[in-house]
Amino acid sequence: TAVRKGAILSPTTTSAWWAKGAVYNPTFYLNKKDALWYMFVNCSEWDGGIERIGFATSATLDGIWELSDDPVSPLFVAEDSVYYGNVRAADPDVFELDGYIIMMYYSVIKFPYIHASDRWAYTTYNEFPYGWKYGGESLSPTKGSYDEKYAHKPYMIKYNNKLLHYY
């Protein structure tokens, strides 16, 4: 039986400047190194503002969650923005793969034309929860395609030694 606990993280209860407008689309990751739960979330400064990815930590899934002071997304988006201009990062999905911690995310790219894209970043166990590096696009839609407009909220799962990408 499910037990409703209410909001575990809210724009009205955080002091983080980058999450005052909206907090949504959580994904959870248990870091075995520090035995903390990490909840990666999509946030904005104001409702409808620029979206960023950040994280909160807790000792338990139903415990008190503390939001980080700064978002993590600029760390891997900035490297990529040299090529693509203003890139928005949102809707994280975090998991382990082949000795790395991977983050799938959705972004809106403005070059060579405005389109949606699912992308990925990676970090090492030693650098986690920071140190994210741009990995590439997991979905690169063609102009005018359904994916170009609707690629959103990526989710990956490893099944029978294959990586499956859902969105």
Side-chain angles (χ1 to χ4, degrees):
T1 304
V3 176
R4 182 164 175 78
K5 295 223 174 206
I8 58 174
L9 197 61
S10 166
T12 60
T13 60
T14 181
S15 61
W17 63 269
W18 57 276
K20 287 292 192 182
V23 177
Y24 47 97
N25 198 41
T27 187
F28 297 89
Y29 174 77
L30 176 60
N31 185 9
K32 296 168 191 86
K33 184 176 161 185
D34 61 11
L36 282 177
W37 281 96
Y38 286 76
M39 175 175 47
F40 285 85
V41 292
N42 192 29
C43 298
S44 63
E45 293 173 60
W46 60 88
D47 195 17
I50 295 172
E51 297 176 30
R52 293 176 172 84
I53 296 171
F55 67 89
T57 56
S58 179
T60 63
L61 273 175
D62 64 350
I64 297 171
W65 288 89
E66 293 189 35
L67 200 60
S68 63
D69 291 333
D70 293 306
V72 297
S73 55
L75 297 176
F76 60 84
V77 174
E79 179 180 327
D80 185 43
S81 66
V82 171
Y83 304 104
Y84 293 102
N86 184 12
V87 178
R88 178 187 295 194
D91 304 333
D93 177 35
V94 177
F95 57 95
E96 295 177 21
L97 181 67
D98 297 334
Y100 290 95
I101 301 171
I102 308 293
M103 180 187 295
M104 300 294 301
Y105 63 98
Y106 157 79
S107 64
V108 174
I109 302 168
K110 293 187 175 182
F111 179 82
Y113 57 91
I114 297 174
H115 66 283
S117 178
D118 284 355
R119 311 177 121 208
W120 63 283
Y122 65 95
T123 190
T124 65
Y125 292 105
N126 289 334
E127 294 177 296
F128 183 83
Y130 297 101
W132 295 99
K133 296 164 191 69
Y134 173 67
E137 291 189 64
S138 61
L139 178 65
S140 185
T142 57
K143 190 168 184 163
S145 70
Y146 178 86
D147 292 341
E148 173 196 22
K149 188 171 182 181
Y150 296 107
H152 204 57
K153 299 191 185 335
Y155 179 76
M156 298 289 281
I157 188 168
K158 190 173 184 179
Y159 179 74
N160 286 340
N161 286 327
K162 290 183 181 178
L163 215 64
L164 305 176
H165 174 207
Y166 295 91
Y167 63 96

